[in-house]
Amino acid sequence: MSTNLAEDESLKCCAACGIAEADENEKILTECNACKSVRCCSDKSQKEHLPEREQTCEKERAANNELLHSDEILFQQPESSYLGDCPICFLPQPNDPQKTSMMPCCCKIICKGCKYANMLREVKGSLQLKCLFCRQPTTPKTNEEVTLSLIKRAEADDPVATCQVGLRRFKEGNYSSALELWTKAAEMGDAESHNLLSYLYGEGKGVEKDEEKQIY
């Protein structure tokens, strides 16, 4: 951490006395042993700075501990998911669909973490909004545009798009079309379509009930 502190222009002065590093006295600053967030020129300066920054130091220590805990949680995640990995960060996709987003332009499923990080980057840099994966400058905005984009991708045998078009047909009550589309997507290896087909066979929607196919 001391390397990062040294690179920060705001931390090139002693937190207590304000003397600059490499001053005429050639003071070498070291990070505070208590908070690890500021730099001091001596042990005496560290003791002087602590009363002024006691609450701040405590908050920064807590933030550092939380960050370390987040890293521990991150690397405790399962090594794989039936949904595959996020194509941006290559971490296993969460099973909760609310934590992922499908890009309608290329039908790639992106984790919400990557989508949020990219959004911050684009907003802070006043950049043009683009798809994280295919970098298209614009993505469909209305439901009609999204559906047309998905249909086009489905016609090109994209399994994710085929599954999504099937979902739209299912919501319209067109169960037989949903069955056909999900069957096609499942044959192309889409795991979600396998799950949805199981529901159709279990409920008998668009097809006769079949317990064996539901389990299969």
Side-chain angles (χ1 to χ4, degrees), residues 25-66:
N25 297 320
E26 296 186 354
K27 289 287 186 182
I28 302 300
L29 305 182
T30 57
E31 64 184 38
C32 171
N33 292 327
C35 67
K36 308 291 186 184
S37 299
V38 297
R39 307 176 77 216
C40 297
C41 63
S42 65
D43 292 340
K44 179 182 177 181
S45 293
Q46 286 196 32
K47 292 178 181 179
E48 291 175 354
H49 117 87
L50 283 177
E52 301 176 3
R53 288 181 48 86
E54 186 173 1
Q55 291 184 348
T56 304
C57 286
E58 186 61 34
K59 290 180 180 179
E60 289 175 348
R61 277 199 300 269
N64 287 337
N65 289 335
E66 184 178 351

Side-chain angles (χ1 to χ4, degrees), residues 22 35 37 45 47 78 86 120 151 155 212-213:
C35 67
S37 299
S45 293
K47 292 178 181 179
C86 170
L120 287 181
I151 290 174
E155 290 173 348
E212 290 186 4
K213 289 186 177 181

Side-chain angles (χ1 to χ4, degrees), residues 17-160:
C17 67
I19 191 171
E21 187 172 39
D23 201 348
E24 57 184 8
N25 297 320
E26 296 186 354
K27 289 287 186 182
I28 302 300
L29 305 182
T30 57
E31 64 184 38
C32 171
N33 292 327
C35 67
K36 308 291 186 184
S37 299
V38 297
R39 307 176 77 216
C40 297
C41 63
S42 65
D43 292 340
K44 179 182 177 181
S45 293
Q46 286 196 32
K47 292 178 181 179
E48 291 175 354
H49 117 87
L50 283 177
E52 301 176 3
R53 288 181 48 86
E54 186 173 1
Q55 291 184 348
T56 304
C57 286
E58 186 61 34
K59 290 180 180 179
E60 289 175 348
R61 277 199 300 269
N64 287 337
N65 289 335
E66 184 178 351
L67 182 61
L68 290 173
H69 181 61
S70 299
D71 286 344
E72 290 176 0
I73 294 176
L74 174 65
F75 290 105
Q76 287 174 357
Q77 299 300 311
E79 294 183 359
S80 62
S81 163
Y82 78 95
L83 294 173
D85 297 338
C86 170
I88 305 300
C89 65
F90 299 108
L91 291 174
Q93 294 281 22
N95 293 330
D96 184 354
Q98 299 299 319
K99 295 181 179 180
T100 59
S101 293
M102 188 201 69
M103 310 308 292
C105 46
C106 57
C107 292
K108 293 297 181 181
I109 308 247
I110 310 292
C111 73
K112 284 291 180 68
C114 287
K115 184 177 180 182
Y116 180 68
N118 184 66
M119 180 188 71
L120 287 181
R121 181 185 67 84
E122 291 177 331
V123 170
K124 287 181 178 179
S126 299
L127 304 174
Q128 184 179 20
L129 301 181
K130 294 182 179 181
C131 169
L132 283 79
F133 187 83
C134 68
R135 310 309 299 165
Q136 288 293 319
T138 57
T139 54
K141 296 180 180 180
T142 67
N143 287 333
E144 290 76 13
E145 288 176 320
V146 171
T147 300
L148 288 173
S149 177
L150 290 174
I151 290 174
K152 183 177 180 180
R153 297 285 304 178
E155 290 173 348
D157 292 336
D158 185 307
V160 175

